[in-house]
Short mmCIF file of all heavy atoms in Angstrom, two decimals:
data_model
loop_
_atom_site.label_atom_id
_atom_site.label_comp_id
_atom_site.label_asym_id
_atom_site.label_seq_id
_atom_site.Cartn_x
_atom_site.Cartn_y
_atom_site.Cartn_z
N HIS B 44 113.67 86.12 102.60
CA HIS B 44 113.71 84.81 101.85
C HIS B 44 112.35 84.08 101.86
O HIS B 44 111.94 83.75 102.89
CB HIS B 44 114.76 83.95 102.44
CG HIS B 44 116.26 84.61 102.68
ND1 HIS B 44 117.07 84.85 101.54
CD2 HIS B 44 116.79 85.22 103.65
CE1 HIS B 44 118.06 85.45 101.88
NE2 HIS B 44 118.06 85.69 103.17
N LEU B 45 111.82 83.85 100.77
CA LEU B 45 110.65 83.05 100.66
C LEU B 45 110.91 81.57 100.87
O LEU B 45 111.73 80.94 100.28
CB LEU B 45 110.04 83.13 99.21
CG LEU B 45 108.63 82.45 98.92
CD1 LEU B 45 107.56 83.04 99.74
CD2 LEU B 45 108.33 82.53 97.38
N ILE B 46 110.18 80.96 101.83
CA ILE B 46 110.39 79.57 102.18
C ILE B 46 109.21 78.69 101.88
O ILE B 46 109.40 77.53 101.62
CB ILE B 46 110.77 79.49 103.64
CG1 ILE B 46 109.81 80.22 104.64
CG2 ILE B 46 112.16 80.00 103.97
CD1 ILE B 46 109.90 79.85 106.15
N HIS B 47 107.99 79.22 101.91
CA HIS B 47 106.85 78.44 101.55
C HIS B 47 105.76 79.46 100.97
O HIS B 47 105.73 80.45 101.33
CB HIS B 47 106.22 77.71 102.71
CG HIS B 47 107.11 76.74 103.37
ND1 HIS B 47 107.20 75.49 102.78
CD2 HIS B 47 107.77 76.82 104.49
CE1 HIS B 47 108.16 74.76 103.57
NE2 HIS B 47 108.37 75.54 104.61
N TYR B 48 104.90 78.83 99.99
CA TYR B 48 103.67 79.58 99.55
C TYR B 48 102.66 78.59 99.17
O TYR B 48 102.85 77.41 99.13
CB TYR B 48 104.11 80.60 98.39
CG TYR B 48 104.57 79.86 97.21
CD1 TYR B 48 103.83 79.58 96.04
CD2 TYR B 48 106.03 79.61 97.09
CE1 TYR B 48 104.27 79.08 94.90
CE2 TYR B 48 106.46 78.96 95.93
CZ TYR B 48 105.58 78.67 94.82
OH TYR B 48 106.11 78.12 93.68
N SER B 49 101.48 79.19 99.06
CA SER B 49 100.30 78.46 98.67
C SER B 49 99.25 79.15 97.81
O SER B 49 99.11 80.39 98.17
CB SER B 49 99.59 77.97 100.13
OG SER B 49 98.26 77.50 99.84
N TYR B 50 98.84 78.48 96.88
CA TYR B 50 97.86 79.17 95.95
C TYR B 50 96.35 78.93 96.42
O TYR B 50 95.50 79.53 95.75
CB TYR B 50 98.04 78.51 94.46
CG TYR B 50 99.28 79.07 93.84
CD1 TYR B 50 100.05 78.23 92.93
CD2 TYR B 50 100.02 80.27 94.26
CE1 TYR B 50 101.12 78.56 92.40
CE2 TYR B 50 101.21 80.60 93.63
CZ TYR B 50 101.81 79.73 92.69
OH TYR B 50 102.97 80.13 92.10
N GLY B 51 96.22 78.09 97.42
CA GLY B 51 94.77 77.84 97.91
C GLY B 51 94.75 76.57 98.70
O GLY B 51 95.80 76.00 99.05
N VAL B 52 93.51 76.29 99.18
CA VAL B 52 93.37 75.03 99.83
C VAL B 52 94.08 73.83 99.30
O VAL B 52 93.93 73.51 98.14
CB VAL B 52 91.93 74.81 100.27
CG1 VAL B 52 91.75 73.44 100.94
CG2 VAL B 52 91.38 75.97 101.03
N ASN B 53 94.78 73.10 100.10
CA ASN B 53 95.47 71.91 99.79
C ASN B 53 96.67 72.06 98.79
O ASN B 53 97.17 71.18 98.16
CB ASN B 53 94.48 70.92 99.24
CG ASN B 53 93.57 70.26 100.33
OD1 ASN B 53 93.86 70.28 101.49
ND2 ASN B 53 92.28 70.17 99.87
N SER B 54 97.15 73.31 98.59
CA SER B 54 98.24 73.62 97.75
C SER B 54 99.22 74.32 98.55
O SER B 54 99.13 75.19 99.26
CB SER B 54 97.77 74.69 96.66
OG SER B 54 98.77 75.49 96.29
N THR B 55 100.46 73.58 98.44
CA THR B 55 101.67 74.18 99.23
C THR B 55 102.89 73.95 98.36
O THR B 55 102.90 72.90 97.63
CB THR B 55 101.94 73.62 100.56
OG1 THR B 55 102.06 72.18 100.47
CG2 THR B 55 100.78 73.88 101.48
N GLU B 56 103.80 74.96 98.28
CA GLU B 56 104.91 74.77 97.46
C GLU B 56 106.25 75.34 98.38
O GLU B 56 105.97 76.14 99.10
CB GLU B 56 104.81 75.69 96.14
CG GLU B 56 103.67 75.34 95.33
CD GLU B 56 103.99 74.02 94.46
OE1 GLU B 56 104.98 73.47 94.50
OE2 GLU B 56 103.01 73.57 93.92
N LYS B 57 107.31 74.74 98.09
CA LYS B 57 108.56 75.27 98.66
C LYS B 57 109.02 76.48 97.92
O LYS B 57 108.83 76.60 96.71
CB LYS B 57 109.65 74.15 98.61
CG LYS B 57 109.41 73.00 99.59
CD LYS B 57 110.53 72.00 99.58
CE LYS B 57 110.30 70.97 100.63
NZ LYS B 57 110.00 71.45 101.91
N GLY B 58 109.59 77.40 98.70
CA GLY B 58 109.98 78.71 98.12
C GLY B 58 111.47 78.56 97.65
O GLY B 58 112.00 77.47 97.26
N ASP B 59 112.01 79.76 97.54
CA ASP B 59 113.41 79.89 97.02
C ASP B 59 114.47 79.39 98.05
O ASP B 59 115.62 79.05 97.53
CB ASP B 59 113.62 81.32 96.65
CG ASP B 59 112.72 81.81 95.64
OD1 ASP B 59 112.10 81.07 94.85
OD2 ASP B 59 112.15 83.04 95.81
N LEU B 60 114.26 79.55 99.26
CA LEU B 60 115.24 79.27 100.24
C LEU B 60 114.81 77.90 100.84
O LEU B 60 113.73 77.79 101.40
CB LEU B 60 115.37 80.31 101.42
CG LEU B 60 116.28 79.98 102.56
CD1 LEU B 60 117.75 79.96 101.99
CD2 LEU B 60 116.12 80.97 103.71
N SER B 61 115.66 76.88 100.88
CA SER B 61 115.45 75.58 101.60
C SER B 61 115.16 75.79 102.97
O SER B 61 115.90 76.41 103.71
CB SER B 61 116.59 74.65 101.30
OG SER B 61 116.40 73.36 101.97
N SER B 62 114.12 75.11 103.44
CA SER B 62 113.78 75.19 104.85
C SER B 62 113.45 73.93 105.43
O SER B 62 112.74 73.08 104.75
CB SER B 62 112.57 76.32 105.10
OG SER B 62 112.16 76.22 106.39
N GLU B 63 113.75 73.62 106.73
CA GLU B 63 113.40 72.42 107.37
C GLU B 63 111.91 72.44 107.73
O GLU B 63 111.45 71.55 108.42
CB GLU B 63 114.39 72.13 108.50
CG GLU B 63 115.74 71.79 107.88
CD GLU B 63 116.76 71.75 109.03
OE1 GLU B 63 116.51 72.27 110.12
OE2 GLU B 63 117.96 71.35 108.84
N SER B 64 111.20 73.68 107.73
CA SER B 64 109.90 73.63 108.19
C SER B 64 108.98 73.12 107.12
O SER B 64 109.34 72.91 106.01
CB SER B 64 109.65 75.22 108.39
OG SER B 64 109.82 75.89 107.21
#
Side-chain angles (χ1 to χ4, degrees):
Chain B
H44 302 283
L45 180 67
I46 52 175
H47 297 284
Y48 60 99
S49 168
Y50 291 150
V52 172
N53 294 325
S54 154
T55 60
E56 302 285 344
K57 290 190 179 296
D59 304 322
L60 179 69
S61 176
S62 173
E63 293 166 344
S64 58

